[in-house]
Amino acid sequence: MNPGETAASAATIDFEALFAAAMRVQPRAYAPYSRFRVGAAILADDGIVYPGCNVENAAYPSGSCAEQSAISAMIAGGATRIAAILVVGDGDVLVTPCGACRQRIREFAPPATPVAIAGPRGIRQMFSLAELLPASFGPDNLRR
Ligand code: THU
């Protein structure tokens, strides 16, 4: 699959609903150390939107990213596939998922999956997961 195919499948996805869900949880982020609040929302294969926010920790590496929290919510909710994911954050620079979260998303999403990056006023840029994580290693690589 390629990014062009992503655009076609993205046409059927309600990104406004993902944006609203991510915006709802962004202010609830626990980010006393970075003061950088991030919201994420996953549209899963069951049609449900699973939100998440970053949750930091006094032991800094023990904190969780918003995407990670949304994936945990999706798994706890009983879904296993990501149809699309949106991330919202503040600032001039696009808040794209960190490297570790790109890999976490890949576990549950094929390379063509749309990843929408938003700011407070809406979606700023669309990517496919393949654009953010090219030549990825995923569950299929372990199949023999
Ligand atoms: N963060 C996320 O939750 N998602 C991203 O896509 C980028 C960064 C969080 C981690 C940390 O709590 C704060 O933002 C600053 O890095």
Side-chain angles (χ1 to χ4, degrees):
M1 288 187 267
N2 59 43
E5 289 176 63
T6 301
S9 57
T12 60
I13 292 167
D14 186 356
F15 284 100
E16 282 310 312
L18 286 179
F19 179 65
M23 284 290 281
R24 206 172 304 125
V25 297
Q26 186 197 10
R28 301 179 193 154
Y30 178 74
Y33 307 108
S34 72
R35 305 210 169 277
F36 192 76
R37 292 185 172 84
V38 183
I42 289 170
L43 173 65
D45 57 350
D46 58 0
I48 294 176
V49 173
Y50 295 96
C53 56
N54 53 330
V55 182
E56 297 183 348
N57 192 281
Y60 292 0
S62 298
S64 307
C65 287
E67 298 89 329
Q68 196 175 356
S69 302
I71 288 170
S72 296
M74 178 190 79
I75 294 297
T80 55
R81 305 300 297 162
I82 297 172
I85 182 166
L86 180 144
V87 182
V88 65
D90 300 323
D92 294 338
V93 181
L94 286 183
V95 180
T96 47
C98 74
C101 280
R102 293 175 195 204
Q103 185 65 36
R104 290 186 180 107
I105 294 165
R106 176 67 186 89
E107 185 69 18
F108 306 104
T113 304
V115 181
I117 307 302
R121 293 196 304 271
I123 292 174
R124 299 177 64 185
Q125 197 166 332
M126 297 287 305
F127 296 92
S128 67
L129 181 56
E131 289 176 294
L132 297 177
L133 192 68
S136 64
F137 186 91
D140 289 347
N141 292 80
L142 294 178
R143 295 215 172 91
R144 284 176 278 194

